[in-house]
Amino acid sequence: MNAFQYVWRSPWVRALVFLLAIYVAWRFVGQIRTVLIDFAVAFLIAYLANPLLNWLERGRVRRGLGVFFVVLIFAGLLSLAGILLATVSGQLVTLIKALPDQIGSLGDVLDRVTSWLTDRGVPGLTDSRERLITAAQDYVQNFGQNIVPILQNALSSTGTLLNSLVSIGGVVGQVLLILLMSVYLMIDYSRVNAALLHVFPRPWQPRVQEFSDLVGTAVGGYVRGQLLIASFIGVFVWLGLTIVGIPSAAAIGFLAGAFNIVPYLGPIIGATPAILLALTLPGALLKIVLVIVVFVAANQIEGNFLSPYILSRTTDLHPITVLVAILVGASLLGFAGALLAVPLVALGKLMLQRYYYPSRVYTDGP
């Protein structure tokens, strides 16, 4: 027995080495976290595209050509997203700058409301019109002074908002890097999975493969369900605002659908620009009411019917379980918790079914 083997027999030495290794790994991961995030996003794209690529291969379309089609679709969606967001952001910049002057046009509506309330004996409405308009103008002016620079920076190629998201190469470089990695992952998806599996010791690999399948079932079902829900919200808001007559209805619908990846956030985010744009139209009060009706309807349909039904089908969870999971996740970790709650609960259910229910602890008792 050499000196190393003798020292390694001590449990304190082994514990110290393991703790040191964990610390070094933690520091190393902290240094390359941007690369890991990019790889995770690229792997998610490849994971979502893999069923489509397999279907194309079964239809005798070569995988390389299928990847080319997927990249074209992805690039088209990104271009459409950029155009729509730039359109609605540019309109909001102009709108917010002009809102203090346009609020004065609501004076007639306020006159009718205060006159109606005064006729019914409501006291204290003297000069209420002037006070309300002045307060609204001050609030919107302050709001505009804060939000306009942010939107302008977001629209500029050298804006601090977008520059803070990435450290090298800008947003375009970041997207191209992720897209390039996702192309390689899509082409060699099975080989990459096999290589990642071989990182683990051989006796662990069957369990790792089994756990990976569980994660794929839980997370994949949730992501596909959320994409379906987001698509519905986007189309519903787009059609509803088009009927109401709100400008940039397609852009606002896209905004609502995209942000709805975080449950219930899309209608809230999309309603703000829609209401602001409604203020500039004839019959502003009626337009605002109709806009609110559209977004409340979208939110109610999603929250009470669509999300529980679709997510319960894609993640094999009861609708009430989905609702409770989202509420608990939001209470614990906010929007991040609401986003992660359902796939974690789905994964937990699959692990119970796979490992706990067949175990002797469950069948015979502890």
Side-chain angles (χ1 to χ4, degrees):
M1 179 183 297
N2 57 34
F4 175 78
Q5 290 175 328
Y6 179 78
V7 173
W8 187 251
R9 292 176 60 184
S10 172
W12 296 105
V13 172
R14 293 198 299 270
L16 180 61
V17 170
F18 286 137
L19 289 175
L20 182 61
I22 292 173
Y23 174 75
V24 172
W26 177 261
R27 293 297 301 270
F28 179 71
V29 168
Q31 294 295 322
I32 63 169
R33 61 183 180 274
T34 302
V35 178
L36 294 178
I37 292 173
D38 290 347
F39 179 81
V41 174
F43 190 85
L44 179 62
I45 294 173
Y47 171 78
L48 294 175
N50 191 59
L52 174 60
L53 294 173
N54 291 338
W55 180 76
L56 290 174
E57 280 189 305
R58 290 194 295 270
R60 298 183 180 181
V61 177
R62 298 183 61 181
R63 193 170 184 89
L65 184 59
V67 170
F68 177 72
F69 289 149
V70 171
V71 171
L72 283 182
I73 294 172
F74 186 73
L77 290 176
L78 282 180
S79 301
L80 178 63
I83 293 172
L84 293 176
L85 289 177
T87 299
V88 72
S89 298
Q91 288 187 349
L92 284 177
V93 169
T94 304
L95 171 64
I96 292 172
K97 287 181 177 178
L99 269 181
D101 296 330
Q102 293 175 343
I103 284 180
S105 63
L106 297 177
D108 294 338
V109 176
L110 292 175
D111 283 338
R112 290 196 296 269
V113 172
T114 54
S115 177
W116 184 83
L117 292 174
T118 302
D119 293 340
R120 281 153 182 79
V122 178
L125 298 179
T126 306
D127 298 329
S128 60
R129 175 183 183 276
E130 288 74 13
R131 292 199 304 270
L132 287 173
I133 290 179
T134 301
Q137 287 175 335
D138 292 340
Y139 175 80
V140 171
Q141 186 173 5
N142 293 332
F143 176 75
Q145 290 173 352
N146 293 323
I147 198 66
V148 167
I150 295 176
L151 291 174
Q152 289 175 332
N153 286 334
L155 291 173
S156 68
S157 59
T158 58
T160 56
L161 180 64
L162 294 183
N163 285 341
S164 64
L165 297 177
V166 290
S167 56
I168 299 175
V171 174
V172 175
Q174 191 86 353
V175 171
L176 289 177
L177 177 62
I178 293 174
L179 188 59
L180 180 62
M181 287 194 295
S182 67
V183 168
Y184 285 118
L185 290 172
M186 285 186 285
I187 292 175
D188 291 324
Y189 186 77
S190 58
R191 291 176 57 189
V192 170
N193 282 339
L196 292 175
L197 183 63
H198 288 160
V199 172
F200 296 91
R202 186 169 296 173
W204 296 7
Q205 289 180 10
R207 287 293 186 185
V208 171
Q209 180 64 53
E210 190 176 3
F211 184 75
S212 175
D213 293 339
L214 291 179
V215 173
T217 301
V219 177
Y222 178 73
V223 171
R224 285 189 289 269
Q226 282 293 349
L227 289 176
L228 285 174
I229 295 169
S231 300
F232 168 81
I233 291 295
V235 173
F236 185 91
V237 170
W238 168 41
L239 294 177
L241 295 183
T242 300
I243 295 172
V244 174
I246 302 298
S248 301
I252 296 174
F254 171 81
L255 199 65
F259 278 98
N260 205 73
I261 296 299
V262 178
Y264 309 109
L265 183 62
I268 297 174
I269 295 294
T272 301
I275 291 174
L276 291 176
L277 289 171
L279 285 172
T280 65
L281 302 175
L285 186 60
L286 178 60
K287 296 286 188 183
I288 291 173
V289 172
L290 293 176
V291 166
I292 293 174
V293 168
V294 169
F295 281 98
V296 168
N299 188 63
Q300 292 299 309
I301 293 173
E302 182 219 354
N304 296 319
F305 301 103
L306 206 60
S307 286
Y309 178 74
I310 290 180
L311 294 183
S312 65
R313 294 287 295 273
T314 57
T315 59
D316 194 26
L317 294 174
H318 192 275
I320 190 63
T321 305
V322 174
L323 286 176
V324 172
I326 292 175
L327 292 175
V328 172
S331 300
L332 294 176
L333 297 174
F335 290 129
L339 184 62
L340 297 173
V342 176
L344 288 178
V345 171
L347 177 60
K349 179 181 179 180
L350 292 176
M351 292 180 67
L352 287 175
Q353 293 173 339
R354 184 67 60 87
Y355 301 116
Y356 178 62
Y357 294 154
S359 68
R360 294 180 60 184
V361 176
Y362 179 75
T363 57
D364 300 338

